[in-house]
């Protein structure tokens, strides 16, 4: 009987048993299960384990081991499948989602810098007279979310402030230490600055203030010209005051002097602003003059109107900044909501194409003595002191 049952059980495990044979085996298994349960309830003694192993047929133990092994296999496969699905979602679906939105990790414009670093450098030079930006560190958080970190440097004090932006699917949703709500180039409304009586009084007040300061004081001031200057005239003004440092040049866009809305301009020769992000050869082929010094060394095609090389360089540089920003306005606008809400780039480009590059005012640095001399210049209409500091001995 044992031999017959063993053969019968083998057929049962292999799935070759008939209905009657399966019923016979399952009845035997129920009998052994009932016996095992009875013994477990009656005897809770570990010393009986050896006797139990002798009483329970080996075939039943084999079935139990098989069931446990199959259960472990199912659990392991389930865990592996869950990990695989999570990996596919994050590493497969996440990059796919990211392709539909602004990605600051792209490196399509330069061989050494992320696109966002160049975008920010152009934005800061075009619209932030007093500040310059650094390269941008970007960390992907998946599904179109990014953390960006960079430094903004005050060109007058040379202090740097770390700024962080959290970008979620094409929009900045959180900013730490933003400088976009900065003070404009001129605080006073244009109609007051252009009024002769107010202008004369302002110059007298500034003269009195500067005269009361020690010669070790050094100031940052914004200057409005009585009449707009061409780049050739600006270069003459810059050469005339060699000890004064021009930091930024505001450029006309046909909308008058912009005292509160977004303005555009550029940093001329001598500015403290670094332009190393613009030195990539690919960029310079696409936007000649983007790196001012490179263009001055290798000017390429020049106008034949007798303008100085520096004056032409200023025009080329501003136009390169402007056209770059226009070409990438959707990307750059992510960094500046104000730029997204205005047509200043389009207006500036249209005006420059028809009238050329002209400036109505500048931001400059100089000693008290230099600023007092500048106040007497007939081309100067208005001067506002933005900041002062004491030079180190």
């Amino acid at each position: 009987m044992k031999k017959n049952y063993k053969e019968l059980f083998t057929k049962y495990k292999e799935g070759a048993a008939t209905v009657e044979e399966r019923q016979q085996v399952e009845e035997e298994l129920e009998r052994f299960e009932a016996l095992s349960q009875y013994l477990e309830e009656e005897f809770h003694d570990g010393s009986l384990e050896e006797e139990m192993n002798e009483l329970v047929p080996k075939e039943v133990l084999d079935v139990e081991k098989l069931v446990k092994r199959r259960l472990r296999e199912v659990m392991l496969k389930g865990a592996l499948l869950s990990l695989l699905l999570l990996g596919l979602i994050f590493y497969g679906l996440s990059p796919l989602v990211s392709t539909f939105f602004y990605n600051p990790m792209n490196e399509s414009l330069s061989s050494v810098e992320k696109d966002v670093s160049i975008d920010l450098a152009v934005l800061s030079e075009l619209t932030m007279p007093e500040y310059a930006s650094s390269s941008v560190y970007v960390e992907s958080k998946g599904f179109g979310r990014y953390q960006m970190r960079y430094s903004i440097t005050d060109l007058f004090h040379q202090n740097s402030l770390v700024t962080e932006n959290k970008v979620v699917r094409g929009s900045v949703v959180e900013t730490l230490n933003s400088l976009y709500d900065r003070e404009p180039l001129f605080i006073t409304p244009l109609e007051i600055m252009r009024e002769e009586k107010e202008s004369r009084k302002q110059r007298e007040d500034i003269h009195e203030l500067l005269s009361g300061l020690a010669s070790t004081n050094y100031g940052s001031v914004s200057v409005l010209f009585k009449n707009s200057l061409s780049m050739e005239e600006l270069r003459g003004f810059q050469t005339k005051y060699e000890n004064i440092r021009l930091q930024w040049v505001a450029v006309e866009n046909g909308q008058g002097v912009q005292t509160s809305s977004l303005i555009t301009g550029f940093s001329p020769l001598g500015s403290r602003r670094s332009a190393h992000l613009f030195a990539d050869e690919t960029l310079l082929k696409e936007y000649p003059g983007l790196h001012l010094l490179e263009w001055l060394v290798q000017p390429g095609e020049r106008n034949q109107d007798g303008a100085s090389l520096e004056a032409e360089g200023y025009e080329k540089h501003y136009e390169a900044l402007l056209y770059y920003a226009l070409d990438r306005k959707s990307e750059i606008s992510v960094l500046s909501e104000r730029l997204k809400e205005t047509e200043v780039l389009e207006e500036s480009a249209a005006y420059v194409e028809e009238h050329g590059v002209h400036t109505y005012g500048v931001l400059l640095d100089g000693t008290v003595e230099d600023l007092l001399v500048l106040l007497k210049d007939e081309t100067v209409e208005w001067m506002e002191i933005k900041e002062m500091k004491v030079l180190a001995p």
Side-chain angles (χ1 to χ4, degrees), residues 105-284:
M105 300 190 75
N106 284 339
E107 295 181 355
S108 63
L109 301 172
S110 169
S111 58
V112 294
E113 291 286 350
K114 289 182 173 59
D115 296 352
V116 67
S117 294
I118 303 169
D119 292 345
L120 185 61
V122 169
L123 175 65
S124 64
E125 180 164 351
L126 262 180
T127 67
M128 300 169 65
E130 300 171 71
Y131 302 99
S133 64
S134 69
S135 296
V136 183
Y137 169 77
V138 184
E139 182 180 1
S140 175
K141 299 295 184 178
F143 298 97
R145 298 181 298 118
Y146 304 92
Q147 191 78 26
M148 302 193 308
R149 186 180 299 110
Y150 51 91
S151 295
I152 295 292
T153 301
D154 182 325
L155 295 175
F156 184 67
H157 294 288
Q158 294 293 290
N159 297 326
S160 294
L161 182 68
V162 175
T163 299
E164 293 187 6
N165 288 339
K166 183 183 293 183
V167 179
V168 177
R169 290 182 281 279
S171 298
V172 176
V173 298
E174 185 178 325
T175 300
L176 175 65
N177 297 330
S178 172
L179 287 174
Y180 295 143
D181 296 328
R182 63 203 174 279
E183 189 177 279
L185 184 60
F186 296 102
I187 302 297
T188 310
L190 176 61
E191 56 270 20
I192 295 179
M193 289 192 291
R194 292 300 193 196
E195 209 282 317
E196 183 178 352
K197 182 178 179 180
E198 291 292 336
S199 174
R200 184 169 58 252
K201 184 177 185 305
Q202 168 75 353
R203 292 158 68 88
E204 292 173 355
D205 291 343
I206 293 293
H207 186 278
E208 182 179 354
L209 175 62
L210 292 175
S211 299
L213 296 175
S215 59
T216 54
N217 280 271
Y218 191 78
S220 171
V221 303
S222 51
V223 170
L224 177 71
F225 298 119
K226 288 183 178 179
N227 299 297
S228 295
L229 305 182
S230 66
M231 292 301 97
E232 188 70 43
E233 291 170 328
L234 175 68
R235 184 58 184 161
F237 175 86
Q238 188 177 19
T239 303
K240 181 178 179 181
Y241 299 102
E242 295 181 350
N243 295 328
I244 288 177
R245 184 193 296 267
L246 289 188
Q247 289 289 4
W248 196 76
V249 178
V251 177
E252 283 189 342
N253 63 2
Q255 303 301 312
V257 179
Q258 303 299 300
T259 59
S260 58
S261 62
L262 197 65
I263 60 177
T264 61
F266 67 94
S267 292
L269 293 171
S271 169
R272 293 191 183 91
R273 190 185 304 269
S274 171
H276 75 278
L277 291 172
F278 301 153
D280 187 87
E281 289 185 8
T282 304
L283 280 174
L284 296 181

Side-chain angles (χ1 to χ4, degrees), residues 255-374:
Q255 303 301 312
V257 179
Q258 303 299 300
T259 59
S260 58
S261 62
L262 197 65
I263 60 177
T264 61
F266 67 94
S267 292
L269 293 171
S271 169
R272 293 191 183 91
R273 190 185 304 269
S274 171
H276 75 278
L277 291 172
F278 301 153
D280 187 87
E281 289 185 8
T282 304
L283 280 174
L284 296 181
K285 289 179 181 178
E286 186 70 20
Y287 302 99
L290 188 62
H291 192 289
L292 177 57
L293 290 178
E294 287 288 340
W295 189 89
L296 290 173
V297 173
Q298 298 177 332
E301 184 178 349
R302 292 191 58 192
N303 298 327
Q304 301 299 320
D305 56 4
S308 67
L309 186 64
E310 293 83 359
E312 285 192 39
Y314 288 173
E315 294 177 357
K316 293 287 186 182
H317 181 55
Y318 174 74
E319 290 170 354
L321 290 169
L322 188 59
Y323 295 141
Y324 175 98
L326 274 170
D327 290 343
R328 291 182 56 81
K329 185 177 180 180
S330 60
E331 291 84 359
I332 292 180
S333 293
V334 174
L335 304 172
S336 173
E337 286 295 326
R338 296 176 64 201
L339 185 63
K340 185 184 300 183
E341 298 167 358
T342 181
E343 300 300 318
V344 64
L345 297 180
E346 292 81 359
E347 292 169 354
S348 297
Y351 185 86
V352 165
E353 288 176 3
E354 183 176 355
H355 302 282
V357 181
H358 293 78
T359 177
Y360 57 82
V362 294
L363 177 71
L364 52 82
D365 300 347
T367 64
V368 168
E369 294 177 354
D370 293 328
L371 297 178
L372 284 170
V373 172
L374 184 60

Side-chain angles (χ1 to χ4, degrees), residues 67-82:
V67 171
K68 291 179 180 178
R69 184 170 70 250
R70 292 289 172 84
L71 182 60
R72 287 196 298 269
E73 290 177 355
V74 170
M75 293 176 65
L76 179 60
K77 289 179 180 178
L80 291 175
L81 182 59
S82 298

Side-chain angles (χ1 to χ4, degrees), residues 79-94 143:
L80 291 175
L81 182 59
S82 298
L83 290 174
L84 179 61
L85 288 174
L86 287 174
L88 287 174
I89 290 173
F90 191 83
Y91 294 104
L93 184 58
S94 174
F143 298 97

